[in-house]
Amino acid sequence: MEAMEVDGEQPIHRKQSNYQNLDEVFLIQNEVYRGQQYSHIYFARLHLMRTLLHSLVPHWKPHIPVCTILGLEEGQECIIVGTLYKHMKLKPCILDEYAKERSATPLVNPHNFMHADDHLVLEDESGRVKLEGTALLPSAYVTGVVVALLGKATGAGSFLVQDFLEAGLPPQIQKLPKLSDDKYVVFVSGLNVGGSTTNPLQFQLLIDHITGHLGDEKNLGSKDQSRLFEPIKELDISLTQIAAGVSLDLMPGANDPANFSLPQQSLNRCLFPGSSVYNTFRSCTNPHFFELDNIRFLGTSGQNIEDLEKYSEAKDKLEFMERTLRWRHIAPTAPNTLGCYPFTDRDPFVLESCPHVYFVGNQDKYESRLIDGPEGQVTQLICIPKFSETGVAVVVRCYHSSFFTNYQKYGNPHCHVKPEESGMPYAQFWDSIQP
Amino acid sequence: MATARADMKGYFKQKKKGSNAGTSKPSSKGGKSTAKKTPSSSASVGPDVVQPPALVSHHGSLDLQDEHDAKEEVLRQFDMNMAYGPCIGMRRLERWNRAYKLGLNPPKEVEDLLKANKHTNILPQPWKWKKANKEKQHFILPDSPSHTIYTYMSNSE
């Protein structure tokens, strides 16, 4: 608890929250690698999702039988359940390097590999079948999604899809709790500490704002400048300032010194000798799942959404995020195009419960939307922009039973008002962040 | 990645002592031989030279005799059962535990056999199993949604 005096008024105490870390499912330390390949994670995923879909099918199409792919009979209407595979012409393939005839290397667009000729294939343990029809658009799907399909087998050996069923939003363990006070959670991502174009002043402003030292010039004096020769040390100094006042969770990202494949394990505490002393500092996995005062937060550092963007299209990033929730899988392209640990008996990215807040970091801009599900689930989707490029952090205000999400831009003289200048006491300043 | 294993011998054309390294089918006389039978229509890659001493990974074993009893047969049937998922890359007991955890009701008999005979809790290597009788072996189906399909076929002799 931190008492802070504002111009001689009553000290303001920082509010406490009950925090529970739910990252156990993403830990790898108990896994043993024996040279297994990825078939096992696909089997676990298919089994979990198929059991779920089998329970939903009777409500969806009550009188139609479910059959295996190898058991398909021509012309008979039935339902098949399996994993989607999207055949993409432009997807880079390692075998191309060994092709006997090599024409000039085609220009591969690194941002998106879609093509009008992409088609979907459904696969289960017995076999695979090519999908036809307009019910399932290849542009909206990726390899690794498990769905149930209604249709019939054609004479040509493919399956004409008439309708499809996705798993849908998972159940929400509990409704959004009513909070008596308002509390705030700040999300920052893409700090790029030590980067050549990064302005350290922006992050310092953010730290000052969060820790309530706004306008205080004591924090980063000139004597500290000489020690800023290693980005990680610079980061530790900044994080120590934050950890001294507020609870802090740190997640690794794509360019951080953590393992490459998902789930990324937590950054080693030895990298943060200053901040790890505080019990408010937590180094977490990516994806990160936690509960704050019974509100469930789930988020990633962006790799899952970036990968979806390469292999499918949507009107905005929030739509990709919504799709992952409705597919009940936060990283369906793993392990196909997204690095992933070869789990043998589980798939940790399958969603068991619906979070209240679902966030993704390292995005281009701030975006936010509320979505709901058929059983009353409510989830706030948030895209957190890269701080080093935009100077924007996201603040989620949890008040009563709703969220107010807004952003704070640091470094722009037009958008930022210091509490001392506004004449308001600190607590009231926070109120001025309107939804 | 998996180390080179003795099973890779199955992909290379074998050379028996005294026979020419050609496309001729090796004879299948006798139950035991020190060289493996060459699957005549398998995907063969590699040079036609005498094989160096087999590289054995720390999990594998040189299965030269391939005599197996009824217990091993039960375990092999468990391995081949697609309902419990892919068997390659997992020890049998781990796979049984996974099947149990996923609610697939694997046979208790298999668990008992594996716990009683620790040496049977191995990483199964189906490509090394000899056929019990002269029947066509079934396909080992692709077990991941990827483009490459391993097809293992063997003609009856």
Side-chain angles (χ1 to χ4, degrees), chain A residues 22 55 61 131 186 284 294 322 364 368 373 395 421 426 431:
Chain A
L22 301 166
S55 68
K61 305 275 178 193
L131 301 178
V186 179
C284 306
N294 291 326
E322 189 177 342
D364 296 325
S368 179
V395 181
E421 284 174 11
Y426 204 86
D431 268 11

Side-chain angles (χ1 to χ4, degrees), chain A residues 270-287:
Chain A
C270 302
L271 291 168
F272 307 105
S275 17
S276 55
V277 171
Y278 292 94
N279 65 356
T280 46
F281 175 80
R282 280 176 217 100
S283 185
C284 306
T285 57
N286 169 33

Side-chain angles (χ1 to χ4, degrees), chain A residues 173-199:
Chain A
I173 300 281
Q174 56 188 82
K175 287 234 169 307
L176 207 55
K178 238 176 162 37
L179 289 179
S180 47
D181 303 318
D182 40 339
K183 302 209 175 147
Y184 299 84
V185 181
V186 179
F187 292 93
V188 190
S189 105
L191 291 171
N192 272 331
V193 174
S196 49
T197 54
T198 313
N199 180 1

Side-chain angles (χ1 to χ4, degrees), chain A residues 34 40 47 85 87 123 344, chain B residues 88 94 98 102 104 145 147:
Chain A
R34 294 195 212 282
H40 304 284
H47 181 80
Y85 175 74
H87 178 85
E123 186 174 309
T344 50
Chain B
I88 294 170
E94 269 172 31
R98 171 179 77 188
L102 293 176
L104 295 164
H147 247 181

Side-chain angles (χ1 to χ4, degrees), chain A residues 85-100:
Chain A
Y85 175 74
K86 182 151 103 171
H87 178 85
M88 299 180 79
K89 205 159 143 166
L90 297 179
K91 181 180 154 195
C93 174
I94 191 81
L95 296 176
D96 292 342
E97 289 184 36
Y98 296 98
K100 286 192 181 134

Side-chain angles (χ1 to χ4, degrees), chain B residues 5-153:
Chain B
R5 291 143 63 124
D7 55 84
M8 287 307 288
K9 278 162 67 175
Y11 291 94
F12 290 83
K13 284 206 168 140
Q14 298 294 318
K15 187 178 176 184
K16 259 194 192 174
K17 287 197 183 79
S19 69
N20 53 341
T23 51
S24 59
K25 290 185 194 174
S27 68
S28 62
K29 300 274 159 43
K32 62 176 183 164
S33 58
T34 47
K36 305 286 286 204
K37 244 195 308 201
T38 308
S40 55
S41 49
S42 70
S44 292
V45 290
D48 256 326
V49 293
V50 175
Q51 283 297 310
L55 294 162
V56 185
S57 76
H58 58 291
H59 292 308
S61 58
L62 276 175
D63 190 28
L64 300 175
Q65 301 281 355
D66 201 26
E67 284 168 358
H68 59 278
D69 54 2
K71 286 183 191 160
E72 178 67 14
E73 187 57 36
V74 168
L75 293 174
R76 287 184 184 186
Q77 287 300 322
F78 172 69
D79 289 338
M80 283 291 105
N81 192 336
M82 272 282 116
Y84 307 123
C87 67
I88 294 170
M90 272 184 103
R91 290 187 185 277
R92 284 173 168 155
L93 193 57
E94 269 172 31
R95 183 162 173 265
W96 192 94
N97 287 331
R98 171 179 77 188
Y100 183 74
K101 185 175 151 190
L102 293 176
L104 295 164
N105 290 324
K108 188 95 176 63
E109 175 193 23
V110 170
E111 187 199 15
D112 294 337
L113 275 174
L114 289 169
K115 286 192 170 161
N117 311 296
K118 290 277 159 63
H119 66 277
T120 56
N121 184 19
I122 52 165
L123 292 163
Q125 298 175 328
W127 48 86
K128 289 169 75 177
W129 299 343
K130 266 193 191 172
K131 308 190 294 292
N133 46 29
K134 295 191 194 288
E135 280 174 20
K136 277 212 191 309
Q137 279 185 341
H138 49 249
F139 281 77
I140 293 181
L141 293 164
D143 52 9
S144 70
S146 72
H147 247 181
T148 52
I149 297 179
Y150 282 112
T151 312
Y152 212 87
M153 280 164 59

